[in-house]
Amino acid sequence: MFNLKALQKNRTVKYGIPMLLLVIGGSFGLREFTQIRYDAQKIKRRLDPSLEVRVNAQKQSVILEEEYEKLKEINLDEWKNIRGPRPWEDSKEYQKQQRSRLSKTD
């Protein structure tokens, strides 16, 4: 009985042990909550299986030499830089204007 009353008056037992339990228990709890977050992100990133097969097939079938040959065939000396429309401009109308300017200069 005497030991129990002495422990209740001890500041380490009264404040220190609950604080340690809160800090250590909180770290384990936060780890579980953050793991749920990352697991949910993995689930969202998964692709449809048929689409995933197509994407993987495209990644594997690209050969560097073939892409280089395609780029060699393109004439890069005759390209024109066309500015995109501003947010306040009508994009279809602006594209028509740009195309008409290109056809006049050619």
Side-chain angles (χ1 to χ4, degrees), residues 19-62:
M19 182 64 178
L20 285 174
L21 288 174
L22 181 68
V23 170
I24 294 170
S27 70
F28 284 110
L30 284 174
R31 185 185 68 183
E32 293 300 320
F33 282 117
T34 55
Q35 188 63 41
I36 291 170
R37 173 183 168 196
Y38 293 122
D39 290 343
Q41 287 178 354
K42 284 181 185 177
I43 291 170
K44 285 182 183 178
R45 288 185 186 160
R46 287 193 182 143
L47 293 175
D48 183 35
S50 61
L51 181 62
E52 190 171 0
V53 169
R54 287 179 42 202
V55 168
N56 289 337
Q58 286 179 350
K59 285 183 181 177
Q60 294 172 356
S61 67
V62 174

Side-chain angles (χ1 to χ4, degrees), residues 2-106:
F2 174 73
N3 289 337
L4 186 59
K5 286 185 180 183
L7 286 176
Q8 287 178 345
K9 289 182 182 180
N10 190 346
R11 293 178 72 184
T12 303
V13 173
K14 193 173 182 180
Y15 299 110
I17 292 174
M19 182 64 178
L20 285 174
L21 288 174
L22 181 68
V23 170
I24 294 170
S27 70
F28 284 110
L30 284 174
R31 185 185 68 183
E32 293 300 320
F33 282 117
T34 55
Q35 188 63 41
I36 291 170
R37 173 183 168 196
Y38 293 122
D39 290 343
Q41 287 178 354
K42 284 181 185 177
I43 291 170
K44 285 182 183 178
R45 288 185 186 160
R46 287 193 182 143
L47 293 175
D48 183 35
S50 61
L51 181 62
E52 190 171 0
V53 169
R54 287 179 42 202
V55 168
N56 289 337
Q58 286 179 350
K59 285 183 181 177
Q60 294 172 356
S61 67
V62 174
I63 298 173
L64 189 60
E65 288 81 13
E66 291 177 4
E67 294 299 319
Y68 178 69
E69 294 299 325
K70 288 179 189 175
L71 287 174
K72 279 181 27 179
E73 293 172 4
I74 299 173
N75 187 1
L76 296 176
D77 294 331
E78 296 180 9
W79 72 279
K80 302 281 184 181
N81 190 11
I82 300 175
R83 178 181 67 82
R86 302 289 193 258
W88 57 86
E89 296 175 338
D90 182 25
S91 65
K92 293 191 186 276
E93 181 181 322
Y94 187 76
Q95 288 172 0
K96 287 179 186 176
Q97 289 175 355
Q98 289 293 322
R99 288 186 182 132
S100 67
R101 286 183 190 164
L102 281 177
S103 63
K104 288 179 184 176
T105 58
D106 290 339

